Amino acid sequence: MTSTIRNLKRSPTGRESIRERDYDGSELSFGRDIQSDVQLQDLSVALKHAKLRYDETGEVFIDISAGQKALINNRIRTGVVGPLQVGTKVKLGIYLITLEAPTEKSKLVAQLEVAEDISGTENEPDEQSVFGLKRALPSKRIMAWAFAFVVLVTCLVLPTHINKYPEGKVAVATPFQADLFWNSGPISLLHSNLKSDCQSCHVKGWEAVTDTTCLDCHTELKDHAKPERLQQSTPLSTGFEAVLGDVSETFGRPVDRCTSCHVEHNGRAHIMPSSQSLCSDCHADLDKALPDTELLNAADFGTAHPQFRPSVITSPSFDKPLYTRVSLDKDPKGVSGLKFPHDVHLSKTGAVAKMASTLDSQYEFADGVGCLDCHSEEAGGALFEPVSMTNDCAMCHSIVFEDDEGYPRTLRHGEPKEVIASMRDFYEAKALGNIRDAEMNTTTRRRPGRASQIRDLNRRELAFKQAENRTIEKVEAIFSEGGACYDCHAIDRPAEIATLDFKVQPISLNDAFYPLSPFNHEQHEIKGLSCDTCHSAETSKTSDDVLLPKIEVCRDCHIGEESYREGGDFAHGKFPTNCLTCHAYHDGEHGKDNSKD
Amino acid sequence: MKTRKTSPAQHVSFLAHRRFLWLKVSGALCVLSIVGYVSTDFDPVRNGGTWYGYTLGVIGALLILWLSLLGARKRAITAGHWSLKGWTSAHVYLGVSLIIVATLHSGFQFGWNVHTLAYALMIFVILSGIIGVFFYVYIPRRMSDNRAEMGQMDMLKDISNLNAMLDDAAQPLSDKYVPIVRKAIDKTKLGGSIFRRLSINDARCSTREALTYFQTEMRNVEAKERSEILDMISVLERKNSLLLKIRKHTRYKALLQIWLYVHLPVTFALIAALIAHIISVFYYN
Ligand code: HEM
Ligand code: HEM
């Protein structure tokens, strides 16, 4: 009783060699165990994996150990399998056992071979995949091109496309507004209605924003000066600046556009440029460029600003007063035509104060008359309302001409003809009243007759005559020293008083000494400042005095941007101002006094 | 890839190239830019749109283009003053100076737009470059200490040999031990995902698991199998320490390369964004 194993080996060149071995007995054990009949050196094989055996009839069976498996004719089997035909292939781990036909000496013959390549070279890791990063990360080159592609599409192609076809399919389909990626900064607050509408200003690609575009909306801007004079006075750029200008033009950005000064996309801060040099570049030496200019050169407020030249009235008129600009250094007189001594009114002890105290309960004049009792602030507080006789003077300066049985008769201010007419009306009406009263009293005891008729006539004539005389007397009185009008107005007396041709000389109140640079009083309402800090009204004896402070007074607190920047004692404790603190640019021609002529 | 023999000194020497010439040049560029920025009177706004802004912008853009050419330059071999070492030295120092030049160019105006995108990408490239240089300085010494003259191929061969030894040592073992050894042989991963490479953590390594298992098992193993298990443990220990060395090496190699996976692709994105930036400021002029 023998069994035979034919061990087939293949050399690397493919040559086969077979070694036969015979075993005693009808059983062959297979396993990793050294004790096995056939030792299989493979870790996927169990120590005792299976047995091949044949029975009395010569049928061959395989007993697979519990828990183990074998691949028999390519099917996974367990337990006892058989009888097995010749040619059956049993696979255990890497080993293949093929049942062969029995021979004379052996009923059980099987060929054993290694069926899988175990050289192991193929699962040896290669150096590049272990140590290189190529397989752990996407290729650098692919990432590079992909990134570049994404950026170019979203940040360049899409925005330009949408700009060209704002209503096109792409524009409609993209969920975001691609050209907003180009927004270089927040738009100024004043333009924020346009913030998503790039094309309202960037009308054409590659074309710098034009002045026409700005002026489409800003229709009311006035020229700063006549264009040719503006050009004449602008210093020609030289050297480096000229080169810069040329370069800028070459790249499609002409200089001297609206946007040269009003730079957008810089938030709220910069749309209104305020730098001093914007003005002083031209105004510092204006007389050189424009020898005939009426304007004085001006630059830094602290060091190079001329004395103020308010427009003062040199010739009052009811309809067209004549204004002239005179430097405060020349101690100008403004002729209003009015008699008004500030000192008398402001004195704390004089007649005015006394009279005021009697009116205290009505007007709160307890401590005399103050500035604000006559000058009332404009709405907004920057300036003051023009002084008005009825609102601001009449509380004291009553123009009552007659106390008519407890009912004061007041004249109409500002209308001298009407004043005279209404006085005459009043006295004539009084005369008529007297006549009527007299006639009523006499009818009972008077006999009718020609003589009494004549007497009545005479009496009437006399009454009217007296009324006329009274009128003349009263009118003359109000227009003469001590009279209501005369107190404040200069009067032209008629040669013949009886004509009552009194004329009030023209008066004009100056309500804008600096029409283009209005002062803001409200901003100066701060602790330590009062009216008399700047206006010395208390010592002014005549209304001709121009009570405006000179520039030196302003400079007590304010100096210019540049002198402030230079610092030092001069700048110590001062507030910097620039030109735009008081002046504006687009408010019309500054070369002449254009507000009042 | 051949294992390049690189001494640490050689790796870092580009920093000190020609007595820090490029450090000086780059420092001078920064100082000039700052002085110019502070002393120029910009009216009305300080930003890329002034003449000074354009100047810095053009300098910055040219620098970026030149820096980007290093990749091409690396593939051409020349020597002398314009050696690759010189290029790299200039690249590093001029690259850093861009932080100053570009920031001053922008006038510190940043927002959610292409302009700032270009800027941010540039900063990204520069930071990755700085990190790269740091690795170049820091890693090579450690790397050669770790592998002690051993080549990468040597390490892999040793692993194969140790696997064969594990296989041999496992043959006589009881069936219950076999899957553990097989796992240690077959499932021990080298390389792998970028995260695995960067961490040398071996907690889930099957060799490590097998080693721990057998070390514990020694306590209740039958006497007749004791010597086989001891053999197994000694082989596993050898493999384990070699694996640690390899993992460290892999990590160093990954660090030396990974920053370039940011540096180079982001450079491309930067150039794209820069093109968009320059075109956009002239298109919406
Ligand atoms: C030829 C080169 C360049 C030109 C002509 C250029 C042009 C400009 C212009 C005109 C602006 C002002 C935009 C505005 O505020 O309206 C600007 C701003 C800016 N540029 Fe450039 N630039 C150049 C290069 C660069 C480079 C190299 C970078 C950085 C990578 C850069 C980043 C920026 C940034 C961050 C801003 C600020 C944008 C903002 O105001 O929000 N530029 N550039
Ligand atoms: C915006 C600035 C920069 C750009 C556009 C840039 C771009 C590049 C490019 C394209 C390469 C070639 C990559 C390759 O093909 O392998 C490179 C390599 C390199 N960069 Fe930069 N780089 C910049 C800044 C920096 C900075 C600031 C540093 C260091 C502080 C730096 C350090 C390096 C180093 C060391 C290499 C050489 C890598 C090698 O040869 O192994 N770079 N850079």
Side-chain angles (χ1 to χ4, degrees):
Chain A
M1 295 235 283
T2 6
S3 304
T4 306
I5 288 293
R6 296 155 45 88
N7 200 343
L8 172 76
K9 287 217 165 116
R10 287 195 181 83
S11 76
T13 52
R15 232 162 23 102
E16 302 189 347
S17 65
I18 294 183
R19 242 180 1 152
E20 266 191 27
R21 184 170 162 198
D22 294 337
Y23 298 82
D24 288 338
S26 60
E27 244 185 42
L28 278 178
S29 64
F30 291 83
R32 224 174 56 239
D33 198 345
I34 310 179
Q35 316 292 333
S36 313
D37 297 325
V38 182
Q39 195 196 355
L40 301 180
Q41 290 218 347
D42 175 12
L43 292 181
S44 54
V45 174
L47 278 172
K48 300 183 175 17
H49 203 114
K51 280 183 194 148
L52 274 181
R53 65 180 161 81
Y54 60 90
D55 62 9
E56 313 79 58
T57 60
E59 306 269 32
V60 176
F61 292 86
I62 183 164
D63 297 348
I64 303 167
S65 313
Q68 306 300 333
K69 289 176 210 140
L71 199 62
I72 298 176
N73 283 340
N74 283 327
R75 290 174 62 198
I76 297 172
R77 310 296 295 263
T78 54
V80 181
V81 183
L84 304 174
Q85 307 299 315
V86 170
T88 302
K89 290 185 187 310
V90 178
K91 193 138 184 279
L92 297 176
I94 59 171
Y95 294 93
L96 180 64
I97 300 158
T98 316
L99 225 56
E100 296 195 344
T103 58
E104 283 170 23
K105 71 177 177 204
S106 297
K107 286 236 170 81
L108 172 56
V109 181
Q111 175 181 290
L112 175 74
E113 65 188 300
V114 172
E116 278 172 27
D117 180 13
I118 48 157
S119 66
T121 43
E122 90 196 28
N123 21 347
E124 202 166 272
D126 77 298
E127 188 181 359
Q128 173 58 27
S129 75
V130 173
F131 299 111
L133 274 188
K134 284 229 169 74
R135 262 171 245 172
L137 287 172
S139 140
K140 274 182 288 204
R141 192 171 301 187
I142 290 176
M143 283 201 288
W145 287 111
F147 286 4
F149 180 77
V150 170
V151 171
L152 277 182
V153 168
T154 51
C155 300
L156 188 58
V157 178
L158 259 186
T160 20
H161 185 88
I162 284 173
N163 173 255
K164 281 218 183 86
Y165 308 101
E167 311 291 339
K169 277 199 208 116
V170 180
V172 175
T174 9
F176 47 86
Q177 195 185 332
D179 54 357
L180 285 184
F181 290 173
W182 287 357
N183 188 349
S184 71
I187 206 154
S188 62
L189 203 59
L190 299 170
H191 281 151
S192 46
N193 57 327
L194 305 173
K195 70 176 175 213
S196 311
D197 187 6
C198 312
Q199 287 174 54
S200 55
C201 300
H202 301 283
V203 178
K204 257 163 68 183
W206 306 108
E207 187 187 74
V209 176
T210 59
D211 289 357
T212 337
T213 309
C214 304
L215 295 175
D216 269 354
C217 297
H218 297 276
T219 50
E220 296 297 314
L221 290 181
K222 295 191 197 122
D223 281 341
H224 185 65
K226 290 205 169 56
E228 61 280 4
R229 288 181 69 80
L230 206 53
Q231 190 155 38
Q232 202 182 333
S233 60
T234 311
L236 274 184
S237 47
T238 50
F240 185 52
E241 243 166 60
V243 175
L244 285 182
D246 288 349
V247 174
S248 184
E249 304 248 354
T250 325
F251 280 90
R253 296 172 64 88
V255 291
D256 293 336
R257 288 173 298 146
C258 300
T259 52
S260 315
C261 297
H262 301 286
V263 180
E264 253 304 353
H265 294 289
N266 285 287
R268 198 185 321 188
H270 299 298
I271 187 76
M272 296 296 189
S274 61
S275 151
Q276 176 175 306
S277 63
L278 280 179
C279 308
S280 63
D281 280 354
C282 296
H283 280 274
D285 291 312
L286 194 66
D287 57 350
K288 293 219 182 76
L290 289 176
D292 62 338
T293 184
E294 299 166 8
L295 298 179
L296 300 179
N297 290 344
D300 186 83
F301 183 73
T303 55
H305 193 286
Q307 182 56 274
F308 300 140
R309 294 189 299 159
S311 300
V312 294
I313 298 167
T314 40
S315 163
S317 138
F318 283 122
D319 51 359
K320 218 166 186 224
L322 186 66
Y323 284 83
T324 316
R325 292 189 63 181
V326 188
S327 163
L328 290 179
D329 283 339
K330 299 212 172 107
D331 202 10
K333 294 290 171 203
V335 189
S336 65
L338 206 61
K339 297 176 196 152
F340 185 83
H342 272 94
D343 57 350
V344 173
H345 284 79
L346 290 171
S347 158
K348 296 265 178 279
T349 51
V352 174
K354 263 188 214 121
M355 169 163 189
S357 67
T358 65
L359 292 169
D360 178 28
S361 60
Q362 216 175 336
Y363 299 106
E364 299 179 6
F365 280 152
D367 52 351
V369 177
C371 306
L372 293 179
D373 292 325
C374 307
H375 295 282
S376 46
E377 283 178 37
E378 233 175 34
L383 290 171
F384 287 85
E385 298 280 2
V387 170
S388 129
M389 156 66 189
T390 18
N391 294 339
D392 302 315
C393 313
M395 59 271 233
C396 304
H397 293 272
S398 107
I399 40 176
V400 169
F401 69 95
E402 201 70 67
D403 184 9
D404 187 15
E405 293 157 18
Y407 184 79
R409 292 306 183 97
T410 306
L411 290 167
R412 171 113 175 234
H413 181 252
E415 301 293 342
K417 288 233 161 61
E418 200 179 321
V419 164
I420 294 167
S422 51
M423 286 173 78
R424 176 175 284 128
D425 290 349
F426 178 83
Y427 292 117
E428 285 184 351
K430 279 280 174 227
L432 274 176
N434 289 342
I435 292 167
R436 186 197 57 206
D437 292 350
E439 284 177 357
M440 295 281 270
N441 291 341
T442 49
T443 35
T444 43
R445 52 180 170 86
R446 201 161 24 101
R447 277 165 291 139
R450 195 171 153 71
S452 69
Q453 271 180 1
I454 287 171
R455 213 167 39 242
D456 282 352
L457 263 177
N458 282 344
R459 195 154 46 211
R460 282 171 189 233
E461 210 159 282
L462 188 66
F464 283 119
K465 183 82 194 141
Q466 277 169 352
E468 181 62 16
N469 285 344
R470 190 138 182 78
T471 304
I472 290 170
E473 175 197 334
K474 284 287 186 180
V475 168
E476 191 192 358
I478 63 166
F479 282 118
S480 308
E481 203 168 337
C485 307
Y486 188 89
D487 259 2
C488 307
H489 290 283
I491 308 292
D492 288 334
R493 296 172 72 85
E496 186 58 55
I497 295 295
T499 62
L500 289 188
D501 194 13
F502 289 96
K503 287 219 171 68
V504 171
Q505 283 183 10
I507 57 154
S508 310
L509 290 194
N510 195 339
D511 60 353
F513 289 99
Y514 304 113
L516 291 178
S517 324
F519 183 81
N520 191 329
H521 283 90
E522 188 173 47
Q523 288 179 349
H524 289 81
E525 284 172 13
I526 50 175
K527 200 175 158 205
L529 291 190
S530 56
C531 305
D532 62 357
T533 314
C534 305
H535 303 285
S536 357
E538 275 159 27
T539 54
S540 161
K541 296 196 180 326
T542 145
S543 69
D544 287 356
D545 290 342
V546 175
L547 297 177
L548 296 173
K550 293 187 176 181
I551 191 167
E552 289 77 10
V553 176
C554 302
R555 282 178 180 158
D556 281 345
C557 302
H558 293 286
I559 58 175
E561 187 184 287
E562 205 172 289
S563 44
Y564 184 79
R565 210 182 307 133
E566 276 162 21
D569 278 352
F570 185 64
H572 183 73
K574 300 284 168 70
F575 302 100
T577 60
N578 58 39
C579 311
L580 291 186
T581 311
C582 303
H583 300 284
Y585 183 83
H586 289 294
D587 57 349
E589 295 174 17
H590 280 233
K592 57 190 171 46
D593 194 353
N594 56 348
S595 64
K596 312 169 175 177
D597 63 349
Chain B
M1 198 207 277
K2 284 262 154 58
T3 317
R4 231 184 318 168
K5 279 257 157 76
T6 38
S7 75
Q10 200 181 339
H11 247 121
V12 193
S13 65
F14 63 79
L15 288 181
H17 179 74
R18 297 186 72 200
R19 301 210 190 135
F20 295 98
L21 169 70
W22 291 108
L23 173 61
K24 291 172 196 157
V25 171
S26 145
L29 178 60
C30 292
V31 170
L32 274 179
S33 311
I34 293 174
V35 168
Y37 185 81
V38 179
S39 60
T40 314
D41 179 21
F42 297 101
D43 218 14
V45 188
R46 225 173 243 278
N47 73 359
T50 61
W51 71 264
Y52 193 67
Y54 277 109
T55 309
L56 289 183
V58 171
I59 293 177
L62 291 178
L63 270 177
I64 287 178
L65 288 183
W66 179 80
L67 292 163
S68 309
L69 290 178
L70 183 64
R73 175 64 186 78
K74 263 165 66 181
R75 279 152 210 127
I77 296 155
T78 55
H81 284 340
W82 292 102
S83 64
L84 183 53
K85 200 163 89 178
W87 266 68
T88 313
S89 187
H91 180 95
V92 166
Y93 289 120
L94 291 177
V96 173
S97 73
L98 263 174
I99 297 180
I100 303 284
V101 173
T103 306
L104 295 183
H105 161 72
S106 78
F108 300 92
Q109 301 194 347
F110 302 110
W112 298 104
N113 51 38
V114 286
H115 323 299
T116 305
L117 175 67
Y119 181 84
L121 291 172
M122 183 198 75
I123 294 294
F124 223 59
V125 172
I126 294 175
L127 287 184
S128 66
I130 292 175
I131 290 172
V133 168
F134 173 74
F135 288 157
Y136 277 4
V137 172
Y138 175 84
I139 289 178
R141 259 256 318 280
R142 270 148 238 268
M143 193 148 100
S144 61
D145 285 355
N146 175 53
R147 63 183 193 179
E149 301 293 310
M150 205 178 188
Q152 291 177 167
M153 262 339 270
D154 302 339
M155 301 187 197
L156 296 184
K157 287 237 172 62
D158 280 8
I159 288 286
S160 297
N161 293 340
L162 285 164
N163 280 342
M165 287 167 74
L166 282 178
D167 193 289
D168 284 348
Q171 296 300 337
L173 294 189
S174 302
D175 283 345
K176 65 168 175 179
Y177 296 135
V178 170
I180 296 156
V181 182
R182 288 188 70 188
K183 204 173 156 208
I185 296 173
D186 296 339
K187 297 277 151 66
T188 299
K189 280 210 197 96
L190 294 176
S193 77
I194 186 66
F195 304 107
R196 269 190 92 96
R197 284 163 196 264
L198 290 178
S199 80
I200 47 177
N201 179 359
D202 61 350
R204 284 171 55 227
C205 163
S206 49
T207 302
R208 166 96 250 167
E209 280 170 6
L211 181 58
T212 327
Y213 174 83
F214 284 112
Q215 281 166 343
T216 342
E217 191 66 12
M218 269 308 284
R219 270 182 245 137
N220 37 22
V221 79
E222 290 169 37
K224 64 175 168 84
E225 227 179 353
R226 173 156 284 189
S227 82
E228 278 93 352
I229 301 256
L230 277 177
D231 284 350
M232 172 58 71
I233 287 179
S234 88
V235 183
L236 282 172
E237 273 171 348
R238 280 176 64 192
K239 186 175 172 197
N240 196 51
S241 69
L242 178 60
L243 280 174
L244 185 64
K245 185 174 282 195
I246 291 182
R247 292 211 169 93
K248 277 191 180 162
H249 185 73
T250 312
R251 175 157 183 260
Y252 288 142
K253 292 277 295 201
L255 288 179
L256 281 180
Q257 294 168 59
I258 191 167
W259 65 274
L260 257 184
Y261 279 77
V262 174
H263 202 67
L264 183 76
V266 179
T267 294
F268 273 57
L270 161 61
I271 292 173
L274 198 55
I275 293 172
H277 168 56
I278 295 169
I279 289 186
S280 74
V281 296
F282 286 108
Y283 189 90
Y284 274 4
N285 212 320

